């Protein structure tokens, strides 16, 4: 079952902040976040591992609440380049290790 | 520089024909994946491989097959193309669990 993201879409002005949420119905080993611009491939942003270790890059942060199986992506002081569709993806571990199930995506639009 | 390439970028084929989409990565990654992306469904996993001679079915594997004879390549074959397989196909790779995916640029397939 795919993770559920909210909101489905968000519109911002440059410099504003946004939070995108991701909720899983099953326990996850890790949560990934990707950004996809129109007509392009998804690009890896960040991974949050069970146990709290975080890996990633860029000036975007994220959290993972293992008890609730919820992750949030925080975009602060948004830039025009942040526009795109954001996907969370879960790795359930076990025999499915490394295999990701993607959420339905959140469309982020940043206006000047 | 290491990369992951998909070919062709665009293809139109007729119903019933066999089609093979290529995916080649020079990252030396063990894990490779095929996803399809459709409006309203996000990214759905078709097949995946953890190494040479290893292949596994994903959630939407019916009508598709893969083979892994070397580390670099994971071709996706549509045995008998159907209109329902019109989609954008993405190949991805990762070194192992706990690392993000690197995606290819995608193949837009139209079945007429």
């Amino acid at each position: 079952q795919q993770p559920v993201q909210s909101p489905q879409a968000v519109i911002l002005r440059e410099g504003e902040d946004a939070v995108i949420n991701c909720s899983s119905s099953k326990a996850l080993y890790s949560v990934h976040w990707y950004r996809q611009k129109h007509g392009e491939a998804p690009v890896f942003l960040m991974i949050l591992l069970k146990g709290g270790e975080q890996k990633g890059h860029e000036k975007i942060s994220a959290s993972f609440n293992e008890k609730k199986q919820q992750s949030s992506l925080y975009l602060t002081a948004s830039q025009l380049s942040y526009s795109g569709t954001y996907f969370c993806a879960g790795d359930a571990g076990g025999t499915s290790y490394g295999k990701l199930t993607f959420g339905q995506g959140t469309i982020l639009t940043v206006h000047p | 520089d290491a990369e992951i390439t998909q070919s062709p970028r665009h293809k139109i084929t007729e119903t019933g024909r066999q089609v093979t989409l290529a995916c080649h990565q020079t990252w030396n990654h063990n894990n490779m994946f095929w996803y399809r992306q459709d409006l309203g469904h996000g990214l759905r996993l078709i097949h995946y491989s953890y190494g040479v001679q290893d292949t596994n079915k994903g959630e939407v594997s019916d009508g598709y097959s893969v083979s892994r004879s070397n580390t670099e390549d994971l071709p996706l074959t549509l045995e008998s193309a159907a209109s329902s397989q019109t989609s954008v196909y993405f190949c991805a790779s990762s070194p192992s669990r706990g690392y993000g995916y690197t995606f290819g640029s995608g193949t837009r397939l139209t079945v007429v």
Side-chain angles (χ1 to χ4, degrees):
Chain A
Q1 193 159 357
Q2 69 178 161
V4 177
Q5 292 183 228
S6 62
Q8 290 187 329
V10 59
I11 300 173
L12 301 173
R13 293 279 181 198
E14 261 188 305
E16 292 181 338
D17 302 340
V19 179
I20 300 172
N21 299 303
C22 174
S23 179
S24 174
S25 60
K26 55 184 179 181
L28 299 176
Y29 167 79
S30 67
V31 176
H32 295 219
W33 286 94
Y34 293 80
R35 177 172 61 210
Q36 183 179 30
K37 294 186 179 288
H38 184 69
E40 298 181 6
V43 174
F44 171 70
L45 293 176
M46 189 171 302
I47 183 171
L48 298 109
L49 302 174
K50 186 177 178 181
E53 183 181 359
Q54 176 177 322
K55 300 179 184 179
H57 56 87
E58 295 193 14
K59 300 176 182 177
I60 296 172
S61 62
S63 65
F64 178 31
N65 184 323
E66 293 171 40
K67 286 186 179 179
K68 295 183 177 181
Q69 294 300 313
Q70 292 176 348
S71 179
S72 295
L73 185 71
Y74 306 96
L75 302 103
T76 56
S78 60
Q79 307 168 18
L80 295 177
S81 62
Y82 284 8
S83 292
T85 300
Y86 288 78
F87 293 96
C88 70
D91 176 354
T95 56
S96 301
Y97 75 90
K99 183 182 74 170
L100 296 181
T101 301
F102 284 79
Q104 80 278 18
T106 295
I107 301 171
L108 179 74
T109 305
V110 181
H111 290 298
Chain B
D1 287 346
E3 58 182 1
I4 178 167
T5 55
Q6 292 184 235
S7 61
R9 290 297 309 274
H10 302 272
K11 184 167 182 69
I12 301 174
T13 191
E14 295 178 342
T15 301
R17 290 194 178 269
Q18 184 181 79
V19 177
T20 297
L21 309 183
C23 176
H24 178 79
Q25 54 99 1
T26 57
W27 292 98
N28 200 35
H29 287 169
N30 287 323
N31 299 350
M32 294 185 73
F33 308 87
W34 274 104
Y35 285 83
R36 61 177 289 175
Q37 187 172 34
D38 306 287
L39 202 60
H41 289 281
L43 289 148
R44 292 182 292 173
L45 183 63
I46 306 171
H47 281 286
Y48 59 104
S49 168
Y50 291 138
V52 177
Q53 302 300 332
D54 174 81
T55 60
N56 306 278
K57 295 181 179 180
E59 60 179 302
V60 291
S61 61
D62 287 350
Y64 304 93
S65 64
V66 293
S67 62
R68 186 96 180 265
S69 59
N70 57 54
T71 302
E72 296 79 18
D73 300 289
L74 188 70
L76 177 71
T77 297
L78 288 69
E79 305 293 344
S80 177
S83 57
S84 60
Q85 293 177 310
T86 292
S87 186
V88 178
Y89 291 85
F90 286 103
C91 177
S93 70
S94 73
S96 67
R97 185 189 207 188
Y99 290 86
Y101 284 12
T102 301
F103 281 86
S105 299
T107 294
R108 182 175 295 276
L109 177 69
T110 303
V111 183
V112 297

